[in-house]
Amino acid sequence: MTPPFTGRCLCGAVTFRCTEAPLWQGHCHCESCRRATASPMTSFLGIRDGAWEWTGAAPATYASSPGVTRSFCAICGTQMAFRADRFPDEIHFYAATLDRPEAYQPTTHYFSAEQLPWLHLADGLARK
């Protein structure tokens, strides 16, 4: 992805802008991400702190587990970002919130051992 790039929630209240390329891009299959997004998996891009900013309303937050905070739009409910103590100095934005999601280029499936058995993906990406 070529910076700068932007994203937003469904209603457009919460928006963000990134000024550097992602640190990584990948799909997550863990149970907590599935439950938070009500989907069989979700896709993230990691951005270094200092290389992004909220440009619209600040999102609401929810501490979903110890050391984990999820950000979402308080109006429409769109999941916007994920932060965890185990990933200091970076935020994880949901790829589906990008204004140009077609520019997203995942390289890895994370927590693939938790992938649902009825989800069949033959994309050839690495699995961790």
Side-chain angles (χ1 to χ4, degrees):
M1 297 177 58
T2 305
F5 52 90
T6 57
R8 66 177 180 84
C9 65
L10 178 62
C11 73
V14 177
T15 58
F16 64 89
R17 182 176 189 268
C18 299
T19 57
E20 292 180 4
L23 300 167
W24 57 271
Q25 299 175 68
H27 305 300
C28 185
H29 295 274
C30 81
E31 179 184 5
S32 63
C33 283
R34 288 197 319 260
R35 290 189 182 277
T37 61
S39 62
M41 62 178 240
T42 195
S43 302
F44 287 111
L45 53 145
I47 302 293
R48 181 186 68 80
D49 282 346
W52 67 273
E53 65 180 330
W54 297 116
T55 53
T61 59
Y62 171 67
S64 62
S65 56
V68 173
T69 303
R70 295 176 185 273
S71 300
F72 61 97
C73 176
I75 298 169
C76 68
T78 301
Q79 292 288 316
M80 296 300 297
F82 169 95
R83 286 183 94 64
D85 291 348
R86 68 182 183 271
F87 302 110
D89 305 319
E90 70 182 73
I91 192 167
H92 305 164
F93 287 107
Y94 291 87
T97 65
L98 291 167
D99 288 329
R100 292 189 53 243
E102 65 276 8
Y104 177 73
Q105 298 176 2
T107 61
T108 306
H109 287 272
Y110 296 99
F111 298 99
S112 59
E114 295 181 47
Q115 181 175 326
L116 293 171
W118 47 262
L119 181 64
H120 302 281
L121 302 168
D123 56 18
L125 298 180
R127 296 186 178 268
K128 294 183 179 183

